[in-house]
Amino acid sequence: MTFTNKASLEMKDRLFNMVGEEKGKTVQLGTFHGLCWRWIIGYRIKKNLSKCILIDDNEQLKLVKEIVRPDNKDKLIDYKEVLESIQRFKDNLYDIQNLPTDFKDPSFGNFKTIYLSYQSKLKELNGLDFGDILLYMLKILEEDKEYGSYMRNRFHSILVDEFQDTNRSQYKLIRCLTKPPYNLFCVGDDDQLIYQWRGANIDNIRGLPKEFKELTTIKLEENYRSTPNILGTANRVICNNKNRFEKKLYASGYKGKICSKVMENRSSDLNYESSIGDVIHRQLDNDYDEAHHIVQDIVNAIKNGYSYSQIAILIRSSTIGSKIEEKLHLFSIPFRVVGGKKFFEYKDIQDLISYIKISHSPTHNLALSRSLQTPKRGCGTAYLEKLKQISYEDGTTLLESIPKAGKRPKAVEYYEMIKSFNEISSSVGLCGSAGESSETLTLPIFIRNLYEASGLKNIIDNSTENRESRQGRIESFIDLSNRFNNLDTFLDYLTLVSGIDSADDVDGRVSLMTIHSSKGLEFDIVFLAGLEEGILPTFNSINDGGDKLEEERRITYVGITRAKKKLVLSCCRERFVHGKVVRNAPSRFYIESLPPIVSLTDTNIKKPKKQKKHRNFNKLEKSLTTENSLQGKIIKHKSFGTGVVIKEDESDLLTVAFKNGVVKKIEKNEIQN
């Protein structure tokens, strides 16, 4: 079990290479949602139940809008935030019935009412959303004792990848599928747990040794990716977290010169001779300088034989990436911003998918609502409401209600077209049946015929804006269908495909992405930008402290460990954020990542004399100090150790972020010389 299609496909390839395709196919391998959906389909077939409809992200959002909009006339509500709250609610296995009747979320009113209405609409559609897939599987395992016992005895071993990212529902599913003596094998790294905001429960991995006392823990500290110096930088940062399994990464079989360098407003040549090093720390005047140095380094790297696809620029938030984008454009460096619009989110693709869904499942009312209105057929909201009324009174689907809704030639034409394609889809082998015609009418041909008959092709062909790009996307989509034998598997793939999987399309371009988007990826050269207090870590995490601050440190650790050969960490004295110039101190993580003042030659570390360390430390202090202010200066305190000054008050009070995670106010006279 894993989290992304990309990871499961890679595992599948490795498995087939190791044991052969025939044996490999006996292994159940996939994402949590993909495996559960496969089991649900098998269970419902076995029990002679109708197939559920899988509701995708866009359809879920449409349902939320239908529920919230009537009460949202006087204030703005983020519908995506509502949907995310519903999904987090399911992931955490909360019981909606035990909530107080007056329970309200300050962002969008009565959550209980919204949630129950949303679930009611899903039930009307005989549909499941992502969260429901796991909940429904858990319900089957718990209520059908015979089937639950069958599933627990079905697997010799259960392997869970990226265990630190599991939420409560996933953890409970794992518990329901295992039995004593436990056949569970988990791979995870608590230092890379950075998705708590998305439902990942840190107690799952921390409590694993206590709940499964027979479990043997094997530390995988040997790293095959990064240089010793990059790993040393990562270790220096993450060791400051208190709540973690103790471990320390070391490089495997690395040979060559390593060195680290602290630089200030100076360009580096990415030849990375020993005088420069494979890790660079750079403090700059402002974000313009930061962007300039990053781009200049990229230019030098390309001259030295690296390719654009081997380079990534990582940031905590997309809000600080604009200056870097401007410079990349200015220097004509090809790049892509990960986290932008994904292939399946384009309107043309979504429109075509809606036609495929309604042609395959005439009861799919959400797909009908979208496809009936594209191209425009004069069938707006009032007409759809009329169809719903007829459907309710006659007990029919919306599609079957069209002929009864009065003279609408274009609507009737739509009805006849969908009915004809529905008959084709169920008779030419697209749903798994065999037939003579299945040899001639393949899935791509079926989709292309539907694309033309629907009028979507005519819209795109006659468009004046981005016509070639839109046509190209449709052709790519039709080509994708070649990989599937029937509509069921193709539609399931379209719904279950993970958004993060798109991040592996890096050919020929520099990647500019958030650290969260980079997880699971690796690059020869990584620029980790914006290492300032208030950005990484965020102000919210600084104020909350505790595990939120530790999660920010884990985010930094993940960013550092994406680098294989070269790493550049940068911070600025001034940065333009949200329309104004802000001055923040260097991030405590930047300070923690700084190299010890030692001489590094080849792979041997020579311990320096104490006076040399003291002299170099004073030099480093001066390089980090902002003009006429202690803000940004590294200081030492008798009780709390080394820290960085975040704020300086006129009353001689200093707010200091110490390496141990403590943020305190001290007087200037408490600073040790």
Side-chain angles (χ1 to χ4, degrees):
M1 290 181 165
T2 187
F3 286 83
T4 68
N5 288 309
K6 180 191 172 191
S8 64
L9 288 172
E10 186 174 334
M11 286 183 181
K12 184 178 178 181
D13 289 341
R14 292 187 183 188
L15 179 66
F16 285 5
N17 288 333
M18 290 172 65
V19 301
E21 187 171 343
E22 187 176 345
K23 284 186 178 180
K25 284 183 176 179
T26 63
V27 177
Q28 295 261 340
L29 194 155
T31 64
F32 277 90
H33 292 89
L35 286 171
C36 285
W37 181 243
R38 196 187 308 169
W39 295 334
I40 288 170
I41 291 173
Y43 179 82
R44 292 184 73 86
I45 290 173
K46 183 179 180 181
K47 298 293 182 179
N48 201 26
L49 301 171
S50 60
K51 186 179 185 293
C52 295
I53 293 174
L54 201 52
I55 307 300
D56 67 26
D57 290 347
N58 289 287
E59 293 163 343
Q60 293 167 34
L61 198 60
K62 184 177 176 63
L63 291 179
V64 168
K65 288 178 180 178
E66 288 178 3
I67 296 165
V68 178
R69 267 178 179 160
D71 300 322
N72 189 29
K73 295 175 182 177
D74 301 323
K75 58 180 181 178
L76 294 174
I77 289 181
D78 187 335
Y79 299 111
K80 288 186 177 180
E81 183 186 346
V82 177
L83 184 58
E84 285 171 3
S85 296
I86 291 173
Q87 295 306 316
R88 293 295 79 75
F89 191 87
K90 293 179 179 183
D91 290 343
N92 284 303
L93 299 176
Y94 294 137
D95 182 3
I96 194 69
Q97 297 302 337
N98 290 333
L99 283 176
T101 308
D102 59 348
F103 174 82
K104 290 181 181 292
D105 186 288
S107 299
F108 40 80
N110 195 323
F111 179 78
K112 183 176 181 179
T113 301
I114 294 172
Y115 181 87
L116 291 174
S117 298
Y118 175 81
Q119 290 302 108
S120 177
K121 285 184 176 290
L122 285 178
K123 190 175 181 180
E124 289 174 12
L125 294 165
N126 192 29
L128 299 176
D129 66 13
F130 276 7
D132 283 331
I133 292 175
L134 299 187
L135 295 183
Y136 185 59
M137 191 65 214
L138 284 170
K139 183 179 179 183
I140 293 172
L141 291 171
E142 291 176 336
E143 295 183 359
D144 191 329
K145 303 298 182 185
E146 182 181 350
Y147 181 78
S149 177
Y150 160 73
M151 288 297 286
R152 279 187 291 277
N153 288 292
R154 183 177 180 183
F155 305 112
H156 176 273
S157 299
I158 296 176
L159 185 150
V160 184
D161 187 32
E162 301 285 5
F163 189 82
Q164 76 279 353
D165 292 332
T166 54
N167 56 41
R168 288 187 64 192
S169 63
Q170 288 161 340
Y171 186 77
K172 187 173 182 180
L173 177 72
I174 293 164
R175 293 291 281 112
C176 287
L177 291 172
T178 56
K179 64 172 186 176
Y182 293 108
N183 52 344
L184 183 61
F185 187 95
C186 299
V187 180
D189 182 1
D190 60 325
D191 288 336
Q192 295 193 53
L193 197 158
I194 62 174
Y195 287 120
Q196 285 183 280
W197 56 275
R198 208 169 67 180
N201 191 332
I202 199 166
D203 293 332
N204 290 354
I205 190 167
R206 286 181 181 168
L208 198 64
K210 294 179 181 178
E211 183 156 357
F212 296 88
K213 297 188 184 301
E214 301 88 349
L215 211 64
T216 300
T217 301
I218 302 171
K219 292 184 181 181
L220 303 177
E221 297 174 299
E222 185 174 6
N223 182 283
Y224 298 88
R225 173 194 294 160
S226 306
T227 69
N229 221 26
I230 292 171
L231 296 181
T233 303
N235 287 330
R236 284 195 296 275
V237 172
I238 201 62
C239 73
N240 292 280
N241 271 2
K242 298 288 187 294
N243 299 313
R244 61 184 291 264
F245 293 122
E246 189 62 37
K247 53 190 173 296
K248 190 172 184 179
L249 299 180
Y250 66 92
S252 171
Y254 181 83
K255 295 180 180 179
K257 295 180 178 180
I258 60 170
C259 185
S260 185
K261 191 81 171 178
V262 180
M263 309 184 75
E264 188 172 4
N265 277 337
R266 282 193 291 146
S267 180
S268 69
D269 182 353
L270 288 192
N271 282 312
Y272 281 90
E273 298 297 337
S274 60
S275 60
I276 296 297
D278 51 357
V279 177
I280 289 178
H281 290 78
R282 183 180 285 128
Q283 189 181 31
L284 299 134
D285 289 335
N286 52 54
D287 45 353
Y288 286 98
D289 287 341
E290 181 181 53
H292 174 79
H293 280 82
I294 288 173
V295 169
Q296 191 61 57
D297 281 353
I298 292 173
V299 171
N300 291 334
I302 299 303
K303 289 178 181 177
N304 286 297
Y306 289 95
S307 66
Y308 290 119
S309 61
Q310 294 172 316
I311 302 171
I313 306 164
L314 307 184
I315 51 180
R316 175 63 177 87
S317 167
S318 58
T319 57
I320 67 167
S322 60
K323 298 296 184 298
I324 298 172
E325 285 191 53
E326 290 173 17
K327 283 289 183 181
L328 290 168
H329 278 301
L330 186 63
F331 279 72
S332 299
I333 292 175
F335 73 98
R336 56 148 195 168
V337 180
V338 177
K341 184 174 284 190
K342 300 175 181 67
F343 179 77
F344 294 111
E345 293 176 347
Y346 282 97
K347 182 181 183 300
D348 294 331
I349 301 297
Q350 282 294 317
D351 288 339
L352 181 52
I353 290 173
S354 71
Y355 272 96
I356 297 171
K357 286 181 175 179
I358 189 62
S359 297
H360 182 52
S361 302
T363 60
H364 203 314
N365 292 340
L366 288 173
L368 180 138
S369 298
R370 181 174 190 129
S371 58
L372 182 58
Q373 298 182 80
T374 309
K376 292 181 179 179
R377 297 183 171 91
C379 303
T381 305
Y383 183 75
L384 285 172
E385 288 300 320
K386 187 176 183 179
L387 291 183
K388 289 178 183 178
Q389 184 64 32
I390 296 171
S391 172
Y392 176 77
E393 292 173 355
D394 295 357
T396 59
T397 65
L398 291 186
L399 184 65
E400 294 293 343
S401 302
I402 290 177
K404 305 175 184 180
K407 294 181 179 180
R408 286 288 174 92
K410 289 187 176 181
V412 173
E413 185 181 297
Y414 165 88
Y415 167 79
E416 297 293 345
M417 179 197 64
I418 296 300
K419 291 293 288 183
S420 65
F421 274 94
N422 176 243
E423 291 171 5
I424 295 171
S425 73
S426 60
S427 64
V428 296
L430 295 174
C431 297
S433 61
E436 184 178 338
S437 58
S438 65
E439 296 177 4
T440 56
L441 185 56
T442 62
L443 183 54
I445 291 174
F446 173 83
I447 294 173
R448 189 178 296 281
N449 290 344
L450 181 58
Y451 170 56
E452 293 175 357
S454 66
L456 295 177
K457 184 178 187 301
N458 190 52
I459 290 177
I460 294 176
D461 287 348
N462 293 319
S463 64
T464 56
E465 187 177 352
N466 300 321
R467 181 171 62 235
E468 291 184 2
S469 296
R470 296 170 70 184
Q471 290 171 333
R473 277 193 290 271
I474 294 294
E475 290 302 319
S476 296
F477 178 81
I478 294 174
D479 182 61
L480 173 66
S481 68
N482 256 319
R483 292 167 46 188
F484 301 86
N485 296 323
N486 57 68
L487 278 175
D488 279 323
T489 55
F490 184 49
L491 288 172
D492 288 348
Y493 168 81
L494 294 177
T495 305
L496 291 169
V497 65
S498 172
I500 201 169
D501 289 348
S502 62
D504 61 347
D505 174 25
V506 296
D507 291 343
R509 289 178 289 170
V510 171
S511 296
L512 173 60
M513 63 176 75
T514 62
I515 301 173
H516 283 95
S517 298
S518 74
K519 191 162 181 287
L521 303 177
E522 56 186 39
F523 302 88
D524 283 352
I525 301 174
V526 167
F527 297 91
L528 189 51
L531 284 167
E532 295 129 40
E533 293 288 301
I535 295 177
L536 182 59
T538 63
F539 281 123
N540 286 338
S541 66
I542 292 172
N543 293 333
D544 292 338
D547 197 59
K548 286 192 176 180
L549 192 57
E550 292 209 344
E551 181 163 8
E552 292 292 301
R553 187 176 279 109
R554 293 194 293 270
I555 292 169
T556 307
Y557 174 81
V558 166
I560 292 170
T561 53
R562 297 312 92 197
K564 294 165 67 176
K565 297 179 179 178
K566 323 291 179 186
L567 172 67
V568 181
L569 304 100
S570 60
C571 60
C572 301
R573 295 182 178 86
E574 292 184 350
R575 185 179 295 277
F576 194 77
V577 182
H578 299 307
K580 62 180 181 179
V581 175
V582 296
R583 289 175 63 89
N584 293 326
S587 167
R588 67 194 69 194
F589 309 143
Y590 179 88
I591 304 302
E592 292 167 359
S593 72
L594 288 167
I597 310 303
V598 296
S599 175
L600 294 152
T601 58
D602 296 323
T603 55
N604 298 315
I605 300 176
K606 296 180 180 179
K607 293 184 179 180
K609 296 178 181 179
K610 289 184 178 180
Q611 64 269 25
K612 185 175 181 181
K613 180 176 180 180
H614 179 74
R615 185 168 63 251
N616 285 353
F617 187 82
N618 287 339
K619 183 179 179 181
L620 182 60
E621 279 187 317
K622 292 177 182 178
S623 73
L624 291 171
T625 307
T626 55
E627 286 186 34
N628 303 320
S629 172
L630 287 176
Q631 183 171 312
K633 183 174 181 179
I634 300 173
I635 59 96
K636 285 187 177 180
H637 188 273
K638 181 179 179 181
S639 301
F640 302 108
T642 304
V644 60
V645 178
I646 299 174
K647 186 179 179 182
E648 180 179 5
D649 295 335
E650 293 181 0
S651 57
D652 280 352
L653 281 178
L654 304 176
T655 303
V656 183
F658 292 96
K659 272 192 176 184
N660 60 8
V662 174
V663 179
K664 289 190 71 70
K665 287 189 175 183
I666 65 170
E667 294 183 1
K668 285 184 180 179
N669 59 17
E670 295 181 54
I671 297 175
Q672 288 186 321
N673 293 324

